[in-house]
Amino acid sequence: MMFDIQSDSQVLRQGQFADYSDSFCEPIAMTSAYRFQSAEQAAARFSGAEPGHVYSRFTNPSVHVFEERVALLEAAEGAVAFASGMAALTAVMMAFAESGSNIVCSRDVFGTTLVALRSYFARFGVEVRVVGLMDYAAWEQAIDQQTRLVFVETPSNPMQDIVNIAVLARMAHAMNALLVVDNTLLTPIMQQPLLLGADLVLHSAGKYMDGQGRCVAGVVCGPLPLITPLRGVLRTLGFSLSPMNAWLLLKSLEMLSLRMVQINQSALQLASWLEHQQDVQAVYYSGLESHPCHTLACQQQAGFGGVFSFKAGTDRHDAWVFINALRLISIATNIGDTRSMVTHPASTTHGRLSAEERQQSGISENLVRLSIGLETSEDLIRDLAQALMQMRSARLPRSFTLQQSGALV
Ligand SMILES: *Cc1c(COP(=O)(O)O)cnc(C)c1O
């Protein structure tokens, strides 16, 4: 029966639809709230007695689809999405660490991860112990009864050191600690840490998952007994992923596998090519047989990813000349875009570390990091080749440089 309302009220209701199930592409659920059929239903939703959405701080249809798809890819029972990778880490800490406990973390994790642990969580009485990724004796020693979380990123960025996830999981479980793996670099297409014994997998989802550099996002996957407390943290502390970003991500996931296979192939081609160039001292890519972790990489990974590094020339000057000479590859400190990017870690991502810490992590002044995108490998190799040539001519005596650069133009 019609219920007559004034046009000012009508304008709020006109064209409203309750059901968009006929739209083929997943709709973007830009909503903060949900309408309940009755007071009884509202109560049941809030108490959790009835499944369904309550409020977009912690449940939203678009975010939910993204979570379900990531869980599927990671072979997980569930997933919770967050506003960023750092928000995902914060949620893991809030859910599982406590004052008086400790967390053991590998040294070569994403820089901000260490800053978060040391500068913020340490203030709340969580001790942070840092261990070299492949130093198993040090892991054994650092993990004890007070350890709640063991946190690693494997392979490490940008040196591609790799830890045996199954071995580390056993060490963590022996002390009832949870092993958390940051799987941002490889994505579930190339590595599924839960199947190797990890308890939780974390992603900075704006990297390869989006793959197009359009948003910042994070997600954590794992078994339901661990996912439930994480959703509790999200519900209470509220670092929620926006439905718009969730939608971008869930569409991106449809082509994640295609992208990663192509990126992996290109990276392997480029790394192999670079290894044979004059003035390239070393290439750090676990897909190369020359890499110390190659055998382990082949065992626990289905690929090697698109981020690797190499030494250009002998010093910072050489590295910068090389970087500035690149025409196609962009200077950007991100990873996981469709477009290839180059970074000088010593002066950017690792610039806040002391010289000694940089040396410990293998970040030399001539180290250059590449994040390979979707351009053809032939174009990328041509760009690297011409930049190496310019670096070489910049190292020659000045008179020769002018001649040489004239010949190049
Ligand atoms: C970028 C990144 C993070 C942090 O994620 P944000 O989404 O930028 O907050 C964490 N881990 C790795 C490996 C990253 O590359």
Side-chain angles (χ1 to χ4, degrees):
M1 202 186 128
M2 256 317 264
F3 179 67
D4 276 330
I5 54 175
Q6 297 174 21
S7 64
D8 279 359
S9 299
Q10 217 169 353
V11 82
L12 304 174
R13 304 271 176 169
Q14 189 67 40
Q16 190 183 9
F17 55 91
D19 183 356
Y20 38 53
S21 61
D22 285 344
S23 102
F24 191 40
C25 180
E26 297 78 355
I28 310 174
M30 293 301 289
T31 183
S32 52
Y34 303 89
R35 190 178 55 212
F36 307 115
Q37 300 305 317
S38 63
E40 287 79 3
Q41 189 185 41
R45 289 271 183 92
F46 267 81
S47 72
E50 180 187 303
H53 299 289
V54 177
Y55 183 55
S56 283
R57 189 187 327 110
F58 57 106
T59 62
N60 173 277
S62 297
V63 176
H64 185 67
V65 182
F66 169 61
E67 289 170 340
E68 296 225 302
R69 289 185 187 177
V70 178
L72 194 72
L73 287 168
E74 282 290 6
E77 278 178 13
V80 187
F82 296 94
S84 69
M86 295 319 299
L89 174 77
T90 301
V92 169
M93 291 298 289
M94 296 310 266
F96 303 110
E98 65 203 329
S99 169
S101 71
N102 69 66
I103 164 168
V104 189
C105 180
S106 59
R107 186 193 302 126
D108 299 321
V109 289
F110 184 68
T112 311
T113 296
L114 268 187
V115 176
L117 296 176
R118 284 176 165 158
S119 306
Y120 292 89
F121 292 106
R123 284 194 352 225
F124 295 92
V126 179
E127 188 195 337
V128 180
R129 299 175 179 172
V130 176
V131 167
L133 183 66
M134 300 190 292
D135 190 345
Y136 294 94
W139 283 113
E140 188 86 66
Q141 202 179 8
I143 303 169
D144 62 22
Q145 300 285 358
Q146 262 49 260
T147 305
R148 294 291 173 274
L149 299 167
V150 173
F151 190 93
V152 293
E153 206 181 301
T154 179
S156 72
N157 169 15
M159 303 307 283
Q160 297 243 320
D161 287 344
I162 294 172
V163 74
N164 188 318
I165 293 175
V167 169
L168 200 56
R170 278 198 293 276
M171 286 186 189
H173 296 161
M175 294 290 162
N176 291 316
L178 300 174
L179 175 62
V180 186
V181 176
D182 183 332
N183 201 25
T184 301
L185 247 71
L186 287 185
T187 80
I189 305 302
M190 306 270 147
Q191 176 169 275
Q192 292 172 299
L194 297 176
L195 296 182
L196 300 166
D199 300 287
L200 290 168
V201 175
L202 182 148
H203 286 275
S204 171
K207 308 291 170 53
Y208 286 109
M209 283 199 174
D210 174 51
Q212 293 157 76
R214 301 173 297 185
C215 64
V216 174
V219 63
V220 182
C221 307
L224 289 181
L226 300 180
I227 286 303
T228 304
L230 281 168
R231 194 166 301 282
V233 170
L234 179 68
R235 178 176 189 158
T236 310
L237 300 182
F239 11 62
S240 329
L241 181 63
S242 86
M244 177 71 208
N245 287 348
W247 181 83
L248 288 173
L249 289 159
L250 72 91
K251 297 313 288 179
S252 287
L253 287 184
E254 293 175 4
M255 281 164 287
L256 181 64
S257 170
L258 280 176
R259 285 189 277 111
M260 291 312 290
V261 167
Q262 157 90 21
I263 284 168
N264 190 63
Q265 218 170 35
S266 277
L268 194 54
Q269 266 178 292
L270 265 67
S272 315
W273 179 84
L274 273 168
E275 208 172 27
H276 296 107
Q277 301 312 301
Q278 213 190 323
D279 297 316
V280 172
Q281 288 177 21
V283 182
Y284 303 96
Y285 187 55
S286 68
L288 297 175
E289 280 177 27
S290 60
H291 195 281
C293 299
H294 180 66
T295 308
L296 179 56
C298 293
Q299 282 166 15
Q300 78 177 11
Q301 302 173 190
F304 314 100
V307 176
F308 69 91
S309 57
F310 66 97
K311 288 179 172 174
T314 55
D315 54 17
R316 173 180 290 209
H317 181 259
D318 286 341
W320 281 20
V321 169
F322 170 80
I323 288 170
N324 289 334
L326 290 165
R327 302 267 172 80
L328 177 63
I329 300 173
S330 312
I331 306 173
T333 52
N334 199 10
I335 58 168
D337 202 317
T338 50
R339 293 152 298 181
S340 298
M341 297 173 285
V342 66
T343 301
H344 182 245
S347 60
T348 60
T349 53
H350 294 68
R352 284 181 295 178
L353 300 183
S354 69
E356 192 194 339
E357 286 175 311
R358 272 200 295 277
Q359 197 196 355
Q360 263 186 339
S361 297
I363 311 297
S364 56
E365 289 293 326
N366 59 345
L367 193 76
V368 170
R369 184 188 78 183
L370 292 173
S371 168
I372 304 306
L374 293 175
E375 302 93 344
T376 67
S377 53
E378 290 79 9
D379 285 338
L380 291 170
I381 286 177
R382 272 199 303 129
D383 195 23
L384 295 176
Q386 64 84 22
L388 279 176
M389 195 136 81
Q390 289 197 47
M391 181 188 82
R392 226 168 275 139
S393 55
R395 302 178 72 191
L396 294 170
R398 176 127 184 93
S399 57
F400 192 87
T401 308
L402 290 175
Q403 232 179 0
Q404 184 85 353
S405 60
L408 271 175
V409 171

